[in-house]
Structure formats: structure tokens, C-alpha cells
């Protein structure tokens, strides 16, 4: 939906006042300003002066739009299980000298 607003702060508040957060769109002649506004939006995807999505960029939402990601490196990481193993350096060095 396109909604009227009086100030930039009000526009951001309107956009963020939702239980969902899949995507937003920002249109502006000032691309730098649009990018600054985009950073304040609580959604997983923000279109700036376009409606085309980069298929290599991660896709997914915030809030009740979910937290998972598809596409891009973030989407691939959904299939990985990360494990950290900590070994004292002295023990590692003894074993690998």
C-alpha cells in the first residue's frame, strides 16, 4: 500500500508499525537519503527506486514474516550446522609440530 505521511520520521514509523517485515520500498530522488531511510526499516528486503530483486541477494523477512533466508550465502548457510572446537594452542602445537 502507498500511504500519505507528513515527515520522514512518520513514514518510517508507519512502515515499521506492522507485525510483518518482509519488504518495503523507498522512492526518492536522493539515493543516499533513501539508503539511510532503508537502514531504519524493520524488514528483510528494501527496494530503493526499483521493484527488481537481485536473485543472488538473501531473501527473507523480519518479525512474523520469518527469520530464515533463501538465496545468496545467507540462504546457503541455512543448510549448514556450525560447530566451534576450542583446543589450547599448546596442545595443538604439540600435535602438529
Amino acid at each position: 500500500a502507498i500511504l500519505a505521511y507528513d515527515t520522514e520520521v512518520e513514514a518510517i514509523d508507519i512502515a515499521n508499525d506492522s507485525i510483518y517485515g518482509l519488504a518495503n520500498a523507498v522512492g526518492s530522488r536522493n539515493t543516499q537519503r533513501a539508503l539511510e531511510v532503508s537502514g531504519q526499516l524493520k524488514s528483510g528486503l528494501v527496494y530503493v527506486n526499483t521493484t527488481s530483486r537481485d536473485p543472488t541477494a538473501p531473501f527473507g523477512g523480519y518479525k512474523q514474516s520469518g527469520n530464515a533466508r533463501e538465496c545468496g550465502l545467507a540462504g546457503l548457510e541455512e543448510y549448514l550446522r556450525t560447530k566451534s572446537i576450542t583446543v589450547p594452542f599448546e596442545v595443538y602445537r604439540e600435535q602438529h609440530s
Side-chain angles (χ1 to χ4, degrees), residues 53-94:
R53 190 178 75 78
D54 178 354
T56 64
F59 176 81
Y62 289 5
K63 303 186 255 184
Q64 289 190 29
S65 289
N67 292 313
R69 294 290 175 263
E70 300 173 12
C71 305
L73 182 59
L76 196 59
E77 289 173 343
E78 291 287 326
Y79 295 96
L80 302 177
R81 289 177 37 178
T82 303
K83 179 185 292 189
S84 296
I85 300 174
T86 304
V87 178
F89 181 72
E90 299 78 28
V91 173
Y92 181 85
R93 185 172 41 186
E94 287 174 12

Side-chain angles (χ1 to χ4, degrees), residues 15-67:
N16 289 336
D17 186 27
S18 172
I19 61 172
Y20 302 108
L22 184 57
N24 291 109
V26 178
S28 176
R29 289 186 189 114
N30 184 334
T31 303
Q32 181 59 40
R33 190 72 205 126
L35 291 172
E36 291 170 10
V37 169
S38 297
Q40 298 175 63
L41 297 174
K42 295 176 183 168
S43 64
L45 175 64
V46 181
Y47 297 97
V48 175
N49 295 333
T50 188
T51 56
S52 298
R53 190 178 75 78
D54 178 354
T56 64
F59 176 81
Y62 289 5
K63 303 186 255 184
Q64 289 190 29
S65 289
N67 292 313

